[in-house]
Amino acid sequence: MPSDTSQPSFVLVRPQMGENIGAAARAMWNFGLDRMRLVNPRDGWPNPKADAMASGAGRLLDEAQNFPTTDAAVADCTYVFATTARHRDLTKPAFSPEAAMKLAAEKIASGEKVAVLFGAERAGLENEDIVRANALINVPVNPEFNSLNLAQCVLLTGYEWQRQVRDITHERVEMAHTVWATQGEAEALAKHYEERLDEAGFFFPLAKANSMKINLRNMWSRMPMTRADVQMLHGMLRQMVRWKNKSE
Amino acid sequence: MPSDTSQPSFVLVRPQMGENIGAAARAMWNFGLDRMRLVNPRDGWPNPKADAMASGAGRLLDEAQNFPTTDAAVADCTYVFATTARHRDLTKPAFSPEAAMKLAAEKIASGEKVAVLFGAERAGLENEDIVRANALINVPVNPEFNSLNLAQCVLLTGYEWQRQVRDITHERVEMAHTVWATQGEAEALAKHYEERLDEAGFFFPLAKANSMKINLRNMWSRMPMTRADVQMLHGMLRQMVRWKNKSE
């Protein structure tokens, strides 16, 4: 069963190798996209090579609809994007993947049906497909080098779709069985080190001792320490003292 | 010769198949990245299979530096990201690709040297590599399905690097040998149609004629017409009139 999230259909137009159809299915499902449509795949449909490649995303192929023409594939859609690398000598709006998927998300949120056309491996989309699209998507690649294959083009478009619709956490800290140290814990640690290092004769010469202590305090405050870090640092220092005591 | 743009190094740690190293090189060069470093590739270095796959991006492999350990590979760097899919049970900041490449761009702009570690195909990075990194990059994939391979992970990270540093045009219109029609030209077109359609008896019944004309005017104003479109639309109408005149 297709997922119940509103999303664009990705339409592979005359894809050639089954492996690439399978790889495109995997690329889609990485980003929660599972509405694949096909236009006249070269080697027929279904295709065992596509199934073999799609491992884990095979459901998308089982559910993929196969159409004889691009017209038929997008007949129920209100807005159609065509992905293309080359300039096509057609007057047509062209979007970055980011802007295109933002527009797609807006249109889908207001009830429209959106499709994205992807061309065959080597040649890309033909002009007769592109004239049917309302807008182009150009992936901004190195002008000296564009080697994006079908699955990679699907991947980047799917990635942008997800960036537009999912609430992505851009920065967090993975915490492994611990919490951040409190200021009080950090302060106790700083004191512990300062006292033992003082005993050990670290703050020398005397004229510099104060600024050395300030630098040390400042270093502790710069470090994002967890409670586990603080405990480990206390333990390290205690062990050094024990070691020194044993050797006396 | 490496390009002279400031950029992060991408470090492939213990990559296995040469084909994947070649594919990673292509993925990088799509987005103008050409500083590849390797840590101890399984099948030695150089690797003819990598060269065969890299077609067009082979220079990156020729210039890639090969190091015996991750430590050696990032010894000259001031900030190191590690890409990882799984939670690693280590306390560590984790960024989206977007936030990570934004931070990388800021650091590089202020003179820092930044590296991004990518793990081997199947297993990803080992914890011993990850503890050496300052932060993680997690690609936000479908929690039910993550099938990103090495080159795809490199591709998405490279794509985000480029999004942060390149001035991307998000929307433009490709113009094929034409310019946008002026308001005057659109107005003349609207008049032409209104007059001929009036002659043809289109605005019927009379009580509705005015609102029909308003709707027609409004339709023209919604259409983003080029000068070529306007000329074609004039020509279509003239031809209809000629056709009608012939049949009289």
Side-chain angles (χ1 to χ4, degrees):
Chain A
M1 284 284 292
S3 61
D4 60 1
T5 54
S6 299
Q7 54 175 265
S9 298
F10 276 19
V11 185
L12 311 191
V13 180
R14 290 181 293 279
Q16 300 179 355
M17 294 175 65
E19 290 85 342
N20 294 331
I21 303 172
R26 293 176 68 165
M28 285 174 65
W29 189 227
N30 271 301
F31 298 115
L33 290 161
D34 62 354
R35 309 284 201 283
M36 181 186 273
R37 297 179 179 192
L38 297 163
V39 176
N40 204 15
R42 184 189 67 185
D43 300 335
W45 194 253
N47 181 330
K49 286 184 180 165
D51 293 328
M53 186 57 145
S55 61
R59 174 176 65 78
L60 276 68
L61 302 182
D62 299 338
E63 293 166 1
Q65 297 169 271
N66 185 13
F67 296 88
T69 62
T70 304
D71 272 350
V74 298
D76 63 334
C77 298
T78 56
Y79 202 87
V80 177
F81 292 99
T83 54
T84 171
R86 292 178 287 124
H87 186 91
R88 295 311 187 111
D89 213 26
L90 289 167
T91 298
K92 184 89 76 181
F95 295 92
S96 68
E98 179 179 0
M101 290 300 100
K102 188 161 187 284
L103 182 60
E106 288 163 5
K107 286 183 175 291
I108 288 170
S110 67
E112 291 200 49
K113 289 196 82 166
V114 173
V116 184
L117 306 180
F118 296 88
E121 289 87 341
R122 197 159 305 196
L125 291 166
E126 289 175 24
N127 274 353
E128 67 165 28
D129 302 311
I130 290 179
V131 291
R132 280 154 177 77
N134 301 98
L136 305 176
I137 301 178
N138 290 158
V139 180
V141 289
N142 182 351
E144 296 174 39
F145 187 72
N146 176 3
S147 78
L148 295 182
N149 63 31
L150 174 57
Q152 288 176 325
C153 191
V154 167
L155 184 82
L156 289 173
T157 310
Y159 172 79
E160 279 292 358
W161 165 257
Q162 177 206 242
R163 279 214 322 122
Q164 301 307 321
V165 298
R166 230 174 89 183
D167 199 17
I168 292 169
T169 305
H170 287 297
E171 184 175 356
R172 66 195 166 79
V173 175
E174 292 193 352
M175 299 295 280
H177 318 297
T178 189
V179 293
W180 293 116
T182 63
Q183 280 296 108
E185 288 165 338
E187 185 59 24
L189 181 75
K191 272 220 181 84
H192 185 189
Y193 268 73
E194 192 173 305
E195 287 168 8
R196 291 294 166 273
L197 289 169
D198 217 354
E199 280 182 63
F202 175 75
F203 300 110
F204 182 87
L206 202 63
K208 292 207 172 166
N210 209 39
S211 73
M212 288 171 81
K213 286 176 185 177
I214 286 173
N215 287 341
L216 182 61
R217 278 292 164 106
N218 192 46
M219 185 198 77
W220 294 123
S221 72
R222 266 188 290 114
M223 288 177 63
M225 289 185 293
T226 64
R227 186 162 292 166
D229 294 334
V230 168
Q231 286 160 353
M232 185 173 60
L233 288 161
H234 276 299
M236 286 161 56
L237 187 57
R238 274 188 220 107
Q239 187 54 34
M240 293 303 289
V241 172
R242 245 178 253 132
W243 188 49
K244 171 246 159 203
N245 288 342
K246 262 188 214 161
S247 68
E248 278 180 341
Chain B
M1 283 284 292
S3 61
D4 59 2
T5 54
S6 300
Q7 53 176 265
S9 298
F10 276 19
V11 185
L12 311 191
V13 180
R14 291 181 294 279
Q16 300 178 355
M17 294 175 64
E19 290 84 344
N20 294 331
I21 304 172
R26 293 176 68 166
M28 286 175 64
W29 190 227
N30 271 299
F31 298 115
L33 290 161
D34 62 354
R35 308 285 201 283
M36 180 186 274
R37 296 178 180 194
L38 296 163
V39 176
N40 204 15
R42 185 189 65 185
D43 300 334
W45 195 254
N47 181 329
K49 286 183 180 165
D51 293 329
M53 185 58 145
S55 60
R59 173 176 67 79
L60 275 69
L61 303 182
D62 299 339
E63 294 166 1
Q65 297 169 271
N66 185 15
F67 297 88
T69 62
T70 304
D71 271 351
V74 298
D76 63 334
C77 298
T78 57
Y79 202 87
V80 177
F81 292 99
T83 54
T84 172
R86 294 177 287 125
H87 185 93
R88 296 309 188 111
D89 213 28
L90 290 166
T91 298
K92 184 87 77 182
F95 294 93
S96 67
E98 178 178 0
M101 291 300 100
K102 188 161 186 283
L103 181 61
E106 288 163 6
K107 286 182 175 292
I108 288 170
S110 67
E112 291 201 48
K113 288 195 82 166
V114 174
V116 184
L117 306 180
F118 296 87
E121 289 87 342
R122 197 159 307 196
L125 290 166
E126 290 176 24
N127 274 353
E128 67 165 27
D129 302 311
I130 291 180
V131 292
R132 280 157 176 75
N134 300 99
L136 305 177
I137 301 177
N138 290 158
V139 180
V141 289
N142 182 351
E144 296 174 39
F145 187 72
N146 176 3
S147 78
L148 295 182
N149 62 32
L150 174 57
Q152 287 175 326
C153 192
V154 167
L155 185 82
L156 289 173
T157 310
Y159 173 79
E160 278 293 357
W161 165 257
Q162 178 207 241
R163 280 215 320 122
Q164 301 308 322
V165 299
R166 229 174 89 184
D167 199 18
I168 292 170
T169 305
H170 288 297
E171 185 175 354
R172 67 196 165 79
V173 174
E174 293 194 351
M175 299 294 280
H177 318 298
T178 187
V179 293
W180 293 114
T182 63
Q183 280 295 108
E185 287 165 337
E187 187 58 26
L189 180 74
K191 271 220 183 83
H192 185 190
Y193 268 73
E194 194 174 303
E195 288 170 7
R196 290 294 165 274
L197 288 169
D198 216 354
E199 281 183 64
F202 176 73
F203 300 109
F204 183 86
L206 202 63
K208 292 205 172 168
N210 209 38
S211 73
M212 289 172 80
K213 285 176 186 176
I214 286 172
N215 288 341
L216 182 62
R217 278 292 164 104
N218 193 46
M219 186 197 77
W220 294 124
S221 71
R222 266 188 292 113
M223 289 178 63
M225 290 185 293
T226 63
R227 184 162 294 166
D229 294 332
V230 168
Q231 286 161 354
M232 184 173 61
L233 288 161
H234 276 299
M236 286 160 56
L237 186 58
R238 273 188 219 107
Q239 188 54 35
M240 292 303 288
V241 172
R242 246 177 251 132
W243 188 49
K244 170 246 159 203
N245 287 343
K246 264 189 213 159
S247 69
E248 280 180 339

